[in-house]
Amino acid sequence: MVLTMQRYVSIFLTFARACLVRDMTFRANFLLECVTSLGWMSMNLAFYLLIFTFTSEIGRNTGWSKEPFFAFVATGLIINSIVQALFMPSAEELTEMVRTGGLDAVLVQPLDAQFMLSMHRIDFSSFANGLVGVGLLGWAVSRMDHVPSLVAWLLYPLLILCGVVILYSLIIMLAAATIFLGRNQSLYDFWFYLTNFSRYPAEIYSGPWGGPLRMLCTFVIPILLVVNVPARAIAMPLSGEAWGLIAATLIAASASLVISRLVFQAALAKYRSASS
Amino acid sequence: MHNSNRGGAVDTDGAAVITVDSLAKEYRVYDKPEGLLASVTGLFHRTSRLVEALRGVSLTVGRGEFVALLGPNGAGKTTFLKLLSGIITPSRGTAHVLGHVPWERADDFRRRFALVMGQRNQLWWDLPAAESFRLHKEIYRIEPARFERTRDELVDLLGVRKLMLQPVRELSLGERMKLELVAALLHEPEVLFLDEPTIGLDVVAQHTIHGFLKAVQAERRVTVVLTTHYMKDVAALCERVVVITHGSILHDGPLSEIVDRFTTHKIVTLDLDATPSPGQMERFGFPCEIRGPRVTLRIDRTRIADVLPEILRSESVRDVSVEDVPLEEIVATLFRAGAAPPMAEATA
């Protein structure tokens, strides 16, 4: 088991090294990607700052005042940058691999196909947003009235990991759909629509439509747990409700991983390949 | 059709490496009717067909054999290789390669074979092949010393040492294919599946690859199954030929047997002293071509021993050559004489 883990870490580092070498080969492209990504993020941050010139809190009595909300945004940036850097490029490439038969070469290698297909391309430029997220988190936490406890700081990386696992599982299931359908070019669009729900505090989903939507996005497709739970752990006191959500996040992450694995295996068994 | 011809298997080392029994693969394909209205209708109601890519094929391949799979486009050759390498699962039948069921995709099995597809690039496109080799080393758990020794041997054999450090996208097709072969053989596979490895290559590259494959197969006792459309590949490399048409095996045996079994004629070319008069040569055989004093005749194999002395007696012959019908021609005839068309049933 340890040897297997060592081997997979070693292969991942080889992928990472090769991707870095490739990125450095096309330096202008790499820098442009960083600038585009940072530009998009800056516009979003400016938009949120604009909102806080009109209001002091997102929702009434939700606790999401300016600094806690920016801790929320920072958490989202960190999680999304990890997912965008490690998994999204490979998932996007999978669509083409299924359509052209490039997946064949992966299936003949003595390696877990899910590992290979979800981690062979790494987009280092996406880590730029994550680094800004870490800075933003530091800024927001230092200005918050609430001081996070040691337990909250210990839980935070674990919950970030859970968020990444939930998003990764969603990507894997969307990628599996590519194998079933033979072509799924809307993968990235669908991903964007789904993850859009995770970018705002869960409290905004209230009322006759918002309530059921919140339940759906918490317990069926646990997308609302991804950013909300780690952000709440760091930005607000750990109340009884918070512990319940933390437990739900741990369960959701484990269940998502298992279900996505089963779906992916079923998809691979149905793979038809493409004509040569 | 179940084909039980296994007579061609030559178990050179006393062990069957590949055994296939009644292997079949069917695909359901959906018709895409032409036109906008038909496309919109197709969203709600589609017609499909069952295509039999492989129809109950059986064969055995012994260790160290070099087997060619020949067949026209769509005959089922690549499907067969994909089944043997575990990429797809069959509809019916069984297969064992190196004692494993391929589509169970056991790591122990996948470490012991390699697949090279001439029409697909398996190296990292933007990086030098050396980077792909390094990844290969990790994936196949090749010991560093063994990796370096094998890599150096292979690149020297193909003369591509300098190309290892050049980005793959900057290489010619022939150079790329040579490096693909190096990558495929780094982990010293016992079985090598080659799907049209010389497609699109010039004669020099083809010749180099022939020499390389011969050397590797002889030295390492690798079992090779090759699909190709080039008879030069077959003639240079393979003793055994399996002809597949419409998903069934039409012939399985030595290459020489194809000539004996499927040709009734020999081609005799004569250089005469003068241009023959019309009808002068027809008594000996069918004149395929008469160009001045050079005459090409198609003569029945059973009559050749009688006809040739008669020609030499009655005509002024400066030079004569007797050849078999070109392999390409024999195989084309074989392909045309294939089994029934692949459509099995249609459903709405």
Side-chain angles (χ1 to χ4, degrees), chain B residues 286-302:
Chain B
F286 177 75
C288 305
E289 190 181 41
I290 300 177
R291 187 173 290 181
R294 169 165 280 218
V295 178
T296 307
L297 294 172
R298 184 184 281 261
I299 299 173
D300 196 308
R301 290 164 70 97
T302 55

Side-chain angles (χ1 to χ4, degrees), chain A residues 108-110, chain B residues 98 107-116 122 133 136-143 146-147 150-151 154 180-192 220 222:
Chain A
V108 298
Q109 293 179 340
Chain B
L98 295 161
D107 280 355
D108 182 45
F109 164 60
R110 293 190 290 185
R111 260 192 286 277
R112 294 167 65 194
F113 83 94
L115 168 69
V116 177
Q122 295 176 56
F133 296 167
H136 209 81
K137 170 179 162 281
E138 296 297 334
I139 291 174
Y140 285 88
R141 292 192 289 185
I142 310 170
E143 285 168 20
R146 189 183 135 207
F147 166 75
T150 313
R151 182 198 60 194
L154 294 170
E180 290 274 1
L181 284 169
V182 172
L185 291 165
L186 280 173
H187 61 284
E188 300 178 80
E190 293 166 59
V191 175
L192 180 61
R220 299 170 192 228
V222 182

Side-chain angles (χ1 to χ4, degrees), chain B residues 17-87:
Chain B
V17 170
I18 301 171
T19 51
V20 177
D21 188 20
S22 309
L23 200 62
K25 179 66 182 174
E26 293 161 358
Y27 291 105
R28 186 160 291 283
V29 294
Y30 291 94
D31 293 324
K32 297 267 190 283
E34 203 181 331
L36 180 63
L37 184 65
S39 296
V40 174
T41 311
L43 287 175
F44 307 99
H45 178 80
R46 291 194 298 177
T47 54
S48 65
R49 288 180 293 124
L50 198 65
V51 173
E52 290 181 287
L54 220 54
R55 304 172 170 204
V57 164
S58 302
L59 61 79
T60 307
V61 179
R63 187 173 297 280
E65 272 198 90
F66 207 131
V67 181
L69 295 181
L70 292 182
N73 289 325
K77 308 181 298 293
T78 303
T79 300
F80 189 48
L81 279 197
K82 284 178 181 173
L83 285 165
L84 293 185
S85 48
I87 292 169

Side-chain angles (χ1 to χ4, degrees), chain A residues 7 10 14-15 17-18 22 26 100-101 104 107-111 121 268 271-276, chain B residues 27-28 78 82 87-88 105 107 110-111 120 122 124 126-127 131 134-135 138-141 169:
Chain A
R7 178 172 163 244
S10 170
T14 311
F15 282 145
R17 183 184 174 283
R22 192 192 52 174
F26 304 103
T100 59
D104 296 359
L107 295 180
V108 298
Q109 293 179 340
L111 195 67
R121 288 260 186 250
L268 280 187
Y271 177 58
R272 287 176 52 156
S273 186
S275 178
S276 60
Chain B
Y27 291 105
R28 186 160 291 283
T78 303
K82 284 178 181 173
I87 292 169
I88 52 175
R105 297 178 190 148
D107 280 355
R110 293 190 290 185
R111 260 192 286 277
R120 296 208 185 120
Q122 295 176 56
W124 287 51
D126 291 321
L127 297 175
E131 296 288 345
R134 181 196 291 268
L135 181 65
E138 296 297 334
I139 291 174
Y140 285 88
R141 292 192 289 185
R169 68 187 143 80

Side-chain angles (χ1 to χ4, degrees), chain A:
Chain A
M1 180 71 181
V2 174
L3 275 175
T4 307
M5 284 295 287
Q6 272 180 352
R7 178 172 163 244
Y8 276 82
V9 168
S10 170
I11 292 169
F12 173 74
L13 292 176
T14 311
F15 282 145
R17 183 184 174 283
C19 290
L20 196 62
V21 170
R22 192 192 52 174
D23 279 353
M24 293 305 108
T25 309
F26 304 103
R27 280 170 296 182
N29 181 64
F30 177 75
L31 289 173
L32 198 64
E33 279 180 3
C34 288
V35 169
T36 310
S37 187
L38 289 171
W40 169 248
M41 185 198 61
S42 306
M43 281 194 284
N44 271 300
L45 291 179
F47 174 71
Y48 295 137
L49 278 172
L50 188 67
I51 288 175
F52 279 104
T53 61
F54 292 95
T55 183
S56 60
E57 197 174 40
I58 303 288
R60 193 173 295 166
N61 299 322
T62 58
W64 293 114
S65 57
K66 188 175 172 181
E67 284 78 15
F69 180 74
F70 273 98
F72 179 96
V73 172
T75 305
L77 279 174
I78 294 167
I79 292 174
N80 270 308
S81 78
I82 295 171
V83 172
Q84 291 283 347
L86 295 184
F87 311 121
M88 210 57 209
S90 302
E92 282 184 289
E93 199 174 280
L94 179 63
T95 302
E96 198 58 15
M97 289 173 84
V98 171
R99 198 179 64 78
T100 59
L103 182 54
D104 296 359
V106 175
L107 295 180
V108 298
Q109 293 179 340
L111 195 67
D112 185 82
Q114 184 175 332
F115 167 81
M116 180 81 170
L117 291 168
S118 54
M119 301 186 88
H120 72 282
R121 288 260 186 250
I122 297 155
D123 176 15
F124 285 94
S125 65
S126 289
F127 283 126
N129 279 358
L131 291 176
V132 175
V134 171
L136 184 65
L137 182 73
W139 174 84
V141 170
S142 69
R143 291 170 63 99
M144 283 189 322
D145 295 334
H146 163 70
V147 178
S149 64
L150 179 65
V151 176
W153 279 118
L154 291 174
L155 276 173
Y156 188 69
L158 176 68
L159 293 170
I160 291 264
L161 180 68
C162 287
V164 170
V165 166
I166 292 171
L167 291 184
Y168 167 74
S169 305
L170 276 173
I171 290 177
I172 285 298
M173 283 191 271
L174 288 172
T178 301
I179 299 172
F180 279 124
L181 300 174
R183 188 172 195 170
N184 181 14
Q185 289 194 316
S186 58
L187 185 141
Y188 191 80
D189 298 337
F190 195 66
W191 162 256
F192 184 79
Y193 301 143
L194 261 182
T195 53
N196 234 353
F197 286 108
S198 71
R199 292 175 193 190
Y200 307 103
E203 286 80 356
I204 70 165
Y205 301 103
S206 59
W209 287 102
L213 191 60
R214 184 172 173 176
M215 297 300 282
L216 177 80
C217 292
T218 303
F219 297 109
V220 182
I221 308 169
I223 202 81
L224 272 180
L225 300 173
V226 172
V227 182
N228 271 275
V229 178
R232 182 180 279 274
I234 209 77
M236 294 179 192
L238 289 169
S239 62
E241 188 195 353
W243 283 111
L245 283 171
I246 288 167
T249 305
L250 290 169
I251 294 167
S254 312
S256 303
L257 203 58
V258 171
I259 292 168
S260 65
R261 176 81 182 168
L262 293 174
V263 171
F264 195 80
Q265 297 284 1
L268 280 187
K270 292 281 178 193
Y271 177 58
R272 287 176 52 156
S273 186
S275 178
S276 60

Side-chain angles (χ1 to χ4, degrees), chain B residues 93-307:
Chain B
T94 58
H96 287 86
V97 180
L98 295 161
H100 292 270
V101 175
W103 43 93
E104 287 177 357
R105 297 178 190 148
D107 280 355
D108 182 45
F109 164 60
R110 293 190 290 185
R111 260 192 286 277
R112 294 167 65 194
F113 83 94
L115 168 69
V116 177
M117 290 179 274
Q119 307 206 51
R120 296 208 185 120
N121 176 45
Q122 295 176 56
L123 301 168
W124 287 51
W125 187 247
D126 291 321
L127 297 175
E131 296 288 345
S132 294
F133 296 167
R134 181 196 291 268
L135 181 65
H136 209 81
K137 170 179 162 281
E138 296 297 334
I139 291 174
Y140 285 88
R141 292 192 289 185
I142 310 170
E143 285 168 20
R146 189 183 135 207
F147 166 75
E148 282 181 24
R149 192 186 65 239
T150 313
R151 182 198 60 194
D152 291 350
E153 275 175 21
L154 294 170
V155 293
D156 288 342
L157 207 51
L158 278 167
V160 289
R161 182 176 279 278
K162 282 183 184 168
L163 300 176
M164 273 200 308
L165 301 175
Q166 202 172 327
V168 170
R169 68 187 143 80
E170 292 174 4
L171 301 173
S172 71
L173 180 62
E175 291 168 339
R176 212 160 64 223
M177 182 44 62
K178 288 173 192 169
L179 290 165
E180 290 274 1
L181 284 169
V182 172
L185 291 165
L186 280 173
H187 61 284
E188 300 178 80
E190 293 166 59
V191 175
L192 180 61
F193 297 123
L194 299 168
D195 188 18
E196 301 184 37
T198 54
I199 194 163
L201 303 188
D202 63 42
V203 284
V204 178
Q206 281 181 29
H207 188 73
T208 310
I209 287 177
H210 290 163
F212 173 75
L213 290 173
K214 263 190 203 169
V216 166
Q217 198 251 355
E219 189 184 319
R220 299 170 192 228
R221 305 300 299 149
V222 182
T223 306
V224 187
V225 181
L226 161 89
T227 77
T228 185
H229 288 295
Y230 298 142
M231 290 310 121
K232 280 180 186 165
D233 289 351
V234 182
L237 299 168
C238 309
E239 288 170 1
R240 180 179 168 194
V241 175
V242 176
V243 180
I244 298 182
T245 57
H246 300 303
S248 301
I249 294 180
L250 202 65
H251 170 81
D252 181 357
L255 181 61
S256 55
E257 205 179 279
I258 286 194
V259 179
D260 295 341
R261 187 174 159 193
F262 294 100
T263 57
T264 52
H265 296 84
K266 289 251 184 197
I267 302 295
V268 176
T269 305
L270 304 163
D271 275 326
L272 304 176
D273 272 344
T275 305
S277 56
Q280 182 184 332
M281 304 304 290
E282 283 175 18
R283 62 192 166 112
F284 303 119
F286 177 75
C288 305
E289 190 181 41
I290 300 177
R291 187 173 290 181
R294 169 165 280 218
V295 178
T296 307
L297 294 172
R298 184 184 281 261
I299 299 173
D300 196 308
R301 290 164 70 97
T302 55
R303 291 182 58 225
I304 200 87
D306 301 328
V307 171

